[in-house]
Amino acid sequence: MENVAESIPNACPGTASQTAGKASGCEGCPNQKLCSTGKAAAVDPAVEEVRQHLSTVRHKMLVMSGKGGVGKSTFVSQLAFGIAEDRTKQVSVLDIDICGPSIPRVMGAEGQQVHLSGSGWSPVYIDENLSVMSVGFLLESLDSAVIWRGPRKAGLIKDFLCKVDWNELDYLLIDTPPGTSDEHLSIEKYLSGSTIDGAIIVTTPQEIALVDVRKQINFCKRVGINIIGVVENMSGFVCPKCTRETQIFIPETGGGEKMAEEMAVPFLGRIPLDPRIAQCCDDGQSFVSEFPDSPAAVAYKNVIATIVSRCEKVHQEAASGAMETD
C-alpha cells in the first residue's frame, strides 16, 4: 500500500475513484496498473484496528511544519504541558519523528524506558495526567541513529497506534517530522478510519520557512486532513528583562498570518522568542508554568485556549453529524 502514494500526478482522480488508473491524468503514473485493478482502494485492516484501539481518545491532533528548525517539537511540548495544567484532562504525546526523536528530552523523560504489560506498551508518564511515547525510548543509547526505510517506519507507527496502552485520553498530540514523506503518509492512512480534529501547522515568519509550510498545508488539503490552524513561532524576540520586542526573522512576505489568509486556513497566533523557552526545553520543563507572566507564556496560553476551543467545536460537529446519520 505504501507505493500507491509514490509520484502521484497532480490530476490523480484518487484511488477510491471509479476512474482510478483509467483517467487521462493517470498516464505515466507508476501506480496506474495497481489502481486500475481496484486493489489500491482496498482498505488496510490496520485502519479498523487503529480506529478501535483509539476509540477512547477524544481528541487527536497532528502537529506539522514542513520545515525543520521552526520549533515544532518545542511547541508540541508546551502545548501538552499547557493543556495538562487542567488536571481533569488526560494528555499524551506520540512522537513519530522516527529519525529525530526530541520529545523525550523536551518533555523531561530522556533516558526512560517503555514497559510491556498485558495490555500493551505503557507510555512514559511525566505526570499523573501527562504521558509520552517515542522511538527515543527504544534506542540503545541517546546517540543511536535510526536508519530505516519507509516500511519499517510505517510498521512502528502502526505499533504505536495499536499496541500502546493509551487508555482513556482527552488529547493525543502527534509530533510529526518535517516534510511530507513516509511518516506523514503512514499516519494519515492509519488514522483515516478515525475521527481526528486535524493538524496544527507551525512556521516561523521568514519566507524560507513559509515556502515549505505551504507544501505541508497543500499536503493536508490533498489527503483530507482538517487544518486547525497556523502558529507563527519565533515571532520576534522579547527581552526577558525589559520585555521589548525585536524582529529577528523578518516577515518580508507578511509572515504566517498573511500566508494563512492567502491559503484560506485559520491563523492561531504568534509566539515570540524567549531564550528561557530553549532552557526549559533542555531541562524538560513547562515554560508556561515556570514563567507564567512573560509575554511568550501569555501568547502560549492564548494559542492553547484557541486550539482547545477549536477542537471542542470539531468534536461537537462530528457528534452532530453522527446523530444525523443515525
Side-chain angles (χ1 to χ4, degrees), residues 233-239 246 248-249 271-277 296:
N233 199 23
M234 307 185 199
S235 182
F237 166 72
V238 175
C239 176
T246 304
I248 303 296
F249 301 114
I271 297 174
L273 276 166
D274 186 319
R276 296 173 297 185
I277 297 176

Side-chain angles (χ1 to χ4, degrees), residues 163-216:
K163 295 183 179 180
V164 173
D165 183 13
W166 296 113
N167 213 329
E168 292 191 8
L169 286 177
D170 292 290
Y171 290 90
L172 177 61
L173 312 178
I174 303 174
D175 184 26
T176 68
T180 55
S181 192
D182 294 319
E183 294 90 335
H184 306 83
L185 291 169
S186 295
I187 196 70
E188 183 278 325
K189 181 182 76 171
Y190 291 134
L191 290 177
S192 61
S194 307
T195 300
I196 65 172
D197 295 83
I200 300 167
I201 311 293
V202 181
T203 187
T204 46
Q206 74 276 34
E207 181 60 24
I208 193 65
L210 297 173
V211 165
D212 288 335
V213 172
R214 291 187 186 96
K215 297 171 185 174
Q216 188 78 77

Side-chain angles (χ1 to χ4, degrees), residues 69-311:
V70 299
K72 172 183 52 59
S73 294
T74 295
F75 177 78
V76 172
S77 67
Q78 300 309 309
L79 174 61
F81 281 129
I83 296 176
E85 284 194 347
D86 181 347
R87 307 296 291 181
T88 67
K89 303 298 183 186
Q90 290 292 326
V91 183
S92 195
V93 177
L94 171 57
D95 181 6
I96 64 167
D97 192 343
I98 307 299
C99 296
S102 55
I103 285 295
R105 178 61 182 264
V106 298
M107 297 292 294
E110 195 172 59
Q112 298 295 317
Q113 294 183 334
V114 173
H115 299 285
L116 182 63
S117 67
S119 55
W121 289 338
S122 296
V124 173
Y125 277 83
I126 311 299
D127 207 337
E128 291 182 354
N129 67 328
L130 178 59
S131 60
V132 179
M133 176 55 77
S134 169
V135 70
F137 299 134
L138 308 178
L139 303 179
E140 292 183 0
S141 74
L142 297 177
D143 297 328
S144 296
V146 179
I147 309 172
W148 292 358
R149 295 188 185 276
R152 193 171 180 187
K153 291 180 180 179
L156 181 62
I157 290 171
K158 175 189 169 185
D159 285 345
F160 278 158
L161 294 172
C162 293
K163 295 183 179 180
V164 173
D165 183 13
W166 296 113
N167 213 329
E168 292 191 8
L169 286 177
D170 292 290
Y171 290 90
L172 177 61
L173 312 178
I174 303 174
D175 184 26
T176 68
T180 55
S181 192
D182 294 319
E183 294 90 335
H184 306 83
L185 291 169
S186 295
I187 196 70
E188 183 278 325
K189 181 182 76 171
Y190 291 134
L191 290 177
S192 61
S194 307
T195 300
I196 65 172
D197 295 83
I200 300 167
I201 311 293
V202 181
T203 187
T204 46
Q206 74 276 34
E207 181 60 24
I208 193 65
L210 297 173
V211 165
D212 288 335
V213 172
R214 291 187 186 96
K215 297 171 185 174
Q216 188 78 77
I217 292 173
N218 283 327
F219 169 85
C220 291
K221 289 181 176 180
R222 182 152 186 184
V223 299
I225 296 175
N226 174 54
I227 298 175
I228 297 172
V230 172
V231 175
E232 185 178 277
N233 199 23
M234 307 185 199
S235 182
F237 166 72
V238 175
C239 176
K241 295 187 179 295
C242 69
T243 69
R244 183 175 180 178
E245 183 173 343
T246 304
Q247 292 297 323
I248 303 296
F249 301 114
I250 307 300
E252 295 181 350
T253 58
E257 184 171 16
K258 180 65 174 177
M259 179 204 65
E261 178 185 346
E262 292 172 348
M263 301 197 73
V265 296
F267 182 69
L268 300 174
R270 298 178 178 84
I271 297 174
L273 276 166
D274 186 319
R276 296 173 297 185
I277 297 176
Q279 187 61 57
C280 283
C281 285
D282 281 347
D283 296 338
Q285 297 177 329
S286 167
F287 171 77
V288 174
S289 296
E290 293 295 315
F291 304 98
D293 299 324
S294 65
V298 172
Y300 264 119
K301 291 175 185 177
N302 290 337
V303 169
I304 291 170
T306 301
I307 290 171
V308 169
S309 174
R310 288 183 181 275
C311 285

